[in-house]
Amino acid sequence: MATNGTKGADSATSKYDPDFTRNVINATGPKADPRTRKVLGSLIQHLHDFCRENEITVSEWMKAVDFINAAGQMSDEKRNEGQLVCDVLGIESLVDEITYKLTSEATDLPTASAILGPFWRKDAPIRQMGDSIILNEIPDGDHTHLYGVVTDFTTGKPIENAVVDVWHTAPNGLYEQQDPDQPDWNLRGRFFTKADGKFDFYCLRPTSYPIPFDGPAGQLLQMLDRHPMRPAHIHFIVSSPGHQPLVTQIFDRRDEHCTNDSVFAVKESLIVDFLPREGDPKAQFELKYDFRLVSFEAAEKAGVTPNAEQESATGI
Amino acid sequence: MATNGTKGADSATSKYDPDFTRNVINATGPKADPRTRKVLGSLIQHLHDFCRENEITVSEWMKAVDFINAAGQMSDEKRNEGQLVCDVLGIESLVDEITYKLTSEATDLPTASAILGPFWRKDAPIRQMGDSIILNEIPDGDHTHLYGVVTDFTTGKPIENAVVDVWHTAPNGLYEQQDPDQPDWNLRGRFFTKADGKFDFYCLRPTSYPIPFDGPAGQLLQMLDRHPMRPAHIHFIVSSPGHQPLVTQIFDRRDEHCTNDSVFAVKESLIVDFLPREGDPKAQFELKYDFRLVSFEAAEKAGVTPNAEQESATGI
């Protein structure tokens, strides 16, 4: 479509100053960093081509400016509307795929990554193995025992002191920072693996929910005649001092929105099956899920240093 | 470069899910407005192509999200940082060219338009013909008598009750809303033409100035190793009830930045020559500049209704 778009636009765009975009790109000075020069030059080219191909008018552009400013104005510590707008356009999932590919090309196939999303909070409480992250009474919630092992992708050995940082919504579809009725840090926690690499805790079988649609991201969905629903999922960041942090999500197969995610984050390898759990008064369901981390050494051998990238993805 | 970019990127992009972008675009529902479907589909395609061609990582994308949110957070009644970022990337000038071409294709060549910029204020004081818009003492300012006539582009007849809305900076390079030391509405005013279509008033010969570079737009300029200067110019919106409003700027030919505008707004037909003025104790310079407006009738005959566009451009 890009090629078609470019070709098809020739007649529509030829009436505009053929030197304009080149002049803007060439205004970049000699001291610009090479990556900046390449990336912003390409961004200018694409945005200008987009404007010409669609003959964007001043009025339409002004609406876009208002939209972008409104996203920033709505953003604060608890809400990142700029990120949400990108998510709705598939951009976070795409850059996640790109970043993952840059790593996995070199290291074969560790656990797949998925987008961070706008609801992670730094420094979640450290909890003891076997604890529950459910801080309030949820009588009819689908209580779940979630367990697994964190291993080194290359050696297969368990990783001690890996941190499993987990977060998900309450059954009402809200993360605790969105919901004044939930205790602070509800349904969040960090667990440190023991020498055997194992972790286990209690959480809820997750619930599908709409992304917040009271701001620009919601306007965008409405304009596109799209639903805001995300399939039920649990978020993780799994990290260890000697390994690249892994940002991912797992999705509940029974959820119809697995094929229909408003932010396009589902990957087949991240869809899981919750099983009925017998003989545990604390949980009706269980799920075993293992994480495979790529060591810095393996990453370096492969000539990639994507660690800094994933650290940034975790908001550090 | 667009074509080269697309070709060159084939090998780099083929490793990414070939269906992803189509899936995001096809998520658009049946009730989406056709223009919205076209424009946002094209935007998604261009942004995704941009990400793949440049292999944008999660870390780089997160910086962009922070950047966009910061632009919104900095924006208020007196400052539009989202607009300024677009200006630095040449986007306002480009959509201005597109909008102007859509009109002038049909109506030949009325006065050229130019970008509104982020410093216009609605409802400037109505002043009497021959008044000065200089509200404070500027002993060493280049005082200027500016005059001309507003005519109908098609008939050549003068337009009565056309509004000439004018604004420019003080010699320190600041608009009054940026500068607590200037009186409110300094160097701004609206003048109503008489039956002969004529207007005249006193202002200053304008000064080149840097756009505000203490925010994201400034960061962008720094990253691109570019200067923030705009050539000396005076802004106008000229309107009349039966005509399409004209948003434009005129530029002082003596200014070196006429070939080097940080927001790419200069057009040759908008560069003017200020002349020395004799025998007027109120001004050392004078400038005659006429405006030609396109009537609604002429626009409609030509099958374009760009008036709503330009009204929006004026912030209405």
Side-chain angles (χ1 to χ4, degrees), chain B residues 228-282:
Chain B
M229 297 304 292
R230 295 219 59 208
H233 62 278
I234 300 176
H235 288 273
F236 296 94
I237 299 174
V238 185
S239 58
S240 126
H243 295 79
Q244 296 169 217
L246 169 69
V247 179
T248 196
Q249 303 176 27
I250 55 176
F251 300 90
D252 189 343
R253 192 182 306 275
R254 74 171 170 185
D255 193 309
E256 56 171 325
H257 294 295
C258 276
T259 58
N260 199 5
D261 179 2
S262 61
V263 303
F264 309 98
V266 180
K267 295 175 185 172
E268 182 56 37
S269 71
L270 297 173
I271 298 178
V272 298
D273 296 285
F274 289 77
L275 302 176
R277 182 166 173 87
E278 308 292 337
D280 183 345
K282 291 197 282 181

Side-chain angles (χ1 to χ4, degrees), chain A residues 134 141-146 168-171 202-208 232-234 252-255 272-276 284-286:
Chain A
I134 309 165
D142 287 340
H143 290 63
T144 296
H145 184 242
L146 202 153
H168 68 73
T169 68
Y202 288 90
C203 61
L204 294 172
R205 187 167 178 172
T207 312
S208 62
H233 62 278
I234 300 177
D252 190 342
R253 192 181 307 275
R254 76 171 171 185
D255 193 311
V272 296
D273 296 285
F274 288 76
L275 301 175
Q284 302 92 45
F285 293 96
E286 65 174 48

Side-chain angles (χ1 to χ4, degrees), chain A residues 13 41 48 71 104 167 218 248 290:
Chain A
T13 62
H48 286 205
S104 62
W167 68 106
T248 194
D290 299 331

Side-chain angles (χ1 to χ4, degrees), chain A residues 78-94:
Chain A
K78 295 196 168 185
R79 179 161 186 166
N80 189 332
E81 189 73 9
Q83 180 169 3
L84 203 58
V85 167
C86 287
D87 290 359
V88 162
L89 298 177
I91 293 171
E92 184 172 8
S93 275
L94 180 59

Side-chain angles (χ1 to χ4, degrees), chain A residues 54-113:
Chain A
N54 297 282
E55 301 201 299
I56 300 295
T57 62
V58 170
S59 161
E60 290 174 321
W61 164 77
M62 291 283 275
K63 280 181 205 155
V65 169
D66 289 346
F67 180 90
I68 287 171
N69 283 335
Q73 280 153 2
M74 194 166 214
S75 297
D76 56 24
E77 278 184 359
K78 295 196 168 185
R79 179 161 186 166
N80 189 332
E81 189 73 9
Q83 180 169 3
L84 203 58
V85 167
C86 287
D87 290 359
V88 162
L89 298 177
I91 293 171
E92 184 172 8
S93 275
L94 180 59
V95 296
D96 172 69
E97 185 198 4
I98 291 168
T99 308
Y100 176 72
K101 282 269 165 59
L102 291 177
T103 310
S104 62
E105 262 172 10
T107 51
D108 204 8
L109 279 174
T111 304
S113 61

Side-chain angles (χ1 to χ4, degrees), chain B residues 18-298:
Chain B
D19 300 325
F20 183 76
T21 298
R22 191 170 57 235
N23 289 343
V24 174
I25 291 172
N26 287 349
T28 304
K31 291 179 198 144
D33 165 79
R35 176 73 177 158
T36 300
R37 176 187 306 276
K38 177 179 192 293
V39 167
L40 288 178
S42 170
L43 183 66
I44 290 166
Q45 184 72 53
H46 272 292
L47 291 177
H48 286 206
D49 285 344
F50 161 75
C51 289
R52 280 185 291 252
E53 285 164 23
N54 297 282
E55 301 200 299
I56 300 295
T57 63
V58 170
S59 162
E60 290 174 321
W61 164 76
M62 290 284 275
K63 280 182 205 154
V65 168
D66 290 346
F67 180 89
I68 287 171
N69 283 336
Q73 280 153 1
M74 193 165 213
S75 298
D76 56 24
E77 278 185 357
K78 295 196 168 183
R79 180 163 185 165
N80 190 332
E81 189 72 11
Q83 180 170 0
L84 203 57
V85 167
C86 288
D87 290 359
V88 162
L89 297 177
I91 294 170
E92 184 171 5
S93 275
L94 180 60
V95 297
D96 172 70
E97 185 196 5
I98 292 168
T99 308
Y100 176 72
K101 281 269 165 60
L102 291 177
T103 311
S104 63
E105 262 172 10
T107 52
D108 205 8
L109 279 173
T111 303
S113 60
I115 68 174
L116 177 65
F119 300 109
W120 179 71
R121 289 179 68 189
K122 206 182 167 185
D123 297 332
I126 295 169
R127 306 193 192 281
Q128 296 306 305
M129 212 52 85
D131 274 0
S132 176
I133 60 173
I134 310 164
L135 305 186
N136 54 351
E137 292 272 325
I138 304 177
D140 51 355
D142 286 340
H143 290 64
T144 296
H145 185 242
L146 203 154
Y147 63 101
V149 59
V150 181
T151 56
D152 181 288
F153 175 69
T154 314
T155 66
K157 288 185 183 164
I159 302 174
E160 185 174 4
N161 278 328
V163 183
V164 177
D165 187 347
V166 59
W167 68 105
H168 68 73
T169 68
N172 65 2
L174 296 175
Y175 290 93
E176 49 86 21
Q177 79 263 53
Q178 299 176 285
D179 184 358
D181 293 335
Q182 288 182 55
D184 200 27
W185 299 107
N186 190 36
L187 302 171
R188 293 177 188 273
R190 287 185 293 166
F191 295 86
F192 282 80
T193 57
K194 303 292 177 193
D196 58 5
K198 287 184 180 170
F199 64 91
D200 81 286
F201 56 85
Y202 288 90
C203 61
L204 293 173
R205 187 166 179 174
T207 312
S208 62
Y209 64 84
I211 61 169
F213 53 93
D214 56 339
Q219 286 168 30
L220 202 55
L221 286 174
Q222 198 164 23
M223 287 167 65
L224 293 169
D225 185 29
R226 279 172 43 188
H227 71 78
M229 297 304 292
R230 295 219 59 208
H233 62 278
I234 300 176
H235 288 273
F236 296 94
I237 299 174
V238 185
S239 58
S240 126
H243 295 79
Q244 296 169 217
L246 169 69
V247 179
T248 196
Q249 303 176 27
I250 55 176
F251 300 90
D252 189 343
R253 192 182 306 275
R254 74 171 170 185
D255 193 309
E256 56 171 325
H257 294 295
C258 276
T259 58
N260 199 5
D261 179 2
S262 61
V263 303
F264 309 98
V266 180
K267 295 175 185 172
E268 182 56 37
S269 71
L270 297 173
I271 298 178
V272 298
D273 296 285
F274 289 77
L275 302 176
R277 182 166 173 87
E278 308 292 337
D280 183 345
K282 291 197 282 181
Q284 302 91 43
F285 293 96
E286 66 174 45
L287 176 67
K288 182 177 190 312
Y289 199 79
D290 298 331
F291 298 100
R292 289 166 299 168
L293 300 186
V294 175
S295 68
F296 290 159
E297 203 187 335

